[in-house]
Amino acid sequence: MLPVRQLLRLRPGVAVSCATGQRIHKLASVQKVTSLTPKKLRSLLYPFSELEAYLHRSVDRTQFQLFDPTLEDMIEAEKLFHSSPSHKIDYYISAERMEHAPDLKQPEVCFIGRSNVGKSSLIKALFSLTPEVEVRVSKTPGHTKKMNFFRVGKAFTIVDMPGYGHKAPRDFVDMVEPYLYTRKNLVRTFLLVDGSVGLQKADLIALEMCEETRCPYVMVVTKIDKCGSGTLLTNLLNLQDVVKTETTSCFPQPFLISSIQFGGIYLLRCFIAHVTGSIRLKETSQS
């Protein structure tokens, strides 16, 4: 892999404007973080690296590094999250029932999690290179009441599902279970867990639901900037123990995310592009 500064020759740390004049966060793009120190850059690209120093040497690290794309892969994946006349990214439609869901053919991924776990914030961060895409974010738990579909050109669709738990829609199960069981173009479900509090009872119920569908899913640990390394690592290892002993359809590697600081966003974009068949990685990885 070429050195970062040979790959990229952009002015560092400058917020740019999109076609609509809206400002793009200076950390939204891989190509805008390369002026950072190597340590800070690595912590943004691979957040788990920040926790490795706290792990006992007897702990197997391979389960945390199964998906390990190159910087070039992340840059290639990032192109899919830039909207253009020939590759339009937009909010498409909302649905309360499967019979209202759009009949889309492209691969689809969905995000589920407890109310206020940060689903909408995460999706907003994924789309931060196209800020004109409206992803409604609220501090009030249970804000998302419907299945919200976002089209990423003809490449894939991202679905923001209603939250479960506190103030969840009364018909959450009737809405989400049929989707998970019957959506034929669903290639991956992302189950979000709050890294500051760890797995909750409601998360374990959702995990069981994902297991019952037998469709591949991934654990995403959000809000990693909201707690100390010790708390995060404890919650992460507890989660990994559950994944290892109680799941069969879950990808072994969790993805660590800070939607505010953009940690892990670039890696997750690359994983989504990979599992939807939108890019071919330059190096092989398990997924």
Side-chain angles (χ1 to χ4, degrees), residues 5-26:
R5 286 174 177 78
Q6 289 183 27
L7 279 169
L8 310 168
R9 301 191 181 281
L10 299 174
R11 292 178 62 196
V14 178
V16 297
S17 298
C18 65
T20 61
Q22 292 175 280
R23 302 285 284 180
I24 297 175
H25 195 286
K26 65 181 180 181

Side-chain angles (χ1 to χ4, degrees), residues 81-96:
F81 291 85
H82 281 278
S83 189
S84 69
S86 61
H87 178 74
K88 188 176 181 181
I89 300 174
D90 60 359
Y91 159 76
Y92 182 51
I93 199 172
S94 296
E96 292 184 352

Side-chain angles (χ1 to χ4, degrees), residues 17-79:
S17 298
C18 65
T20 61
Q22 292 175 280
R23 302 285 284 180
I24 297 175
H25 195 286
K26 65 181 180 181
L27 297 180
S29 170
V30 172
Q31 301 185 40
K32 290 296 179 182
V33 301
T34 55
S35 61
L36 301 174
T37 65
K39 181 180 179 181
K40 180 62 176 176
L41 176 61
R42 181 163 181 78
S43 72
L44 287 175
L45 300 184
Y46 310 99
F48 177 72
S49 64
E50 285 284 283
L51 299 176
E52 284 192 85
Y54 301 98
L55 279 177
H56 191 274
R57 59 186 179 184
S58 64
V59 177
D60 182 10
R61 289 160 169 75
T62 58
Q63 61 185 334
F64 298 103
Q65 301 166 327
L66 294 174
F67 185 72
D68 190 27
T70 64
L71 178 61
E72 294 98 320
D73 290 327
M74 293 190 201
I75 293 170
E76 187 66 25
E78 187 172 279
K79 294 176 183 178

Side-chain angles (χ1 to χ4, degrees), residues 200-213:
Q200 303 292 296
K201 183 177 180 180
D203 298 321
L204 294 173
I205 294 172
L207 187 146
E208 291 177 6
M209 181 174 63
C210 289
E211 282 292 310
E212 289 175 0
T213 66

Side-chain angles (χ1 to χ4, degrees), residues 127-178:
F127 288 147
S128 56
L129 295 168
T130 310
E132 64 268 25
V133 176
E134 184 181 3
V135 182
R136 300 181 67 184
V137 178
S138 173
K139 294 182 179 179
T140 304
H143 178 76
T144 303
K145 301 294 187 182
K146 302 176 181 180
M147 298 180 284
N148 297 319
F149 292 78
F150 298 87
R151 294 183 301 185
V152 182
K154 296 180 180 180
F156 53 86
T157 306
I158 290 178
V159 187
D160 184 10
M161 307 295 280
Y164 53 79
H166 180 63
K167 292 190 177 180
R170 191 173 298 176
D171 50 0
F172 171 82
V173 173
D174 294 337
M175 190 185 307
V176 176
E177 272 198 345

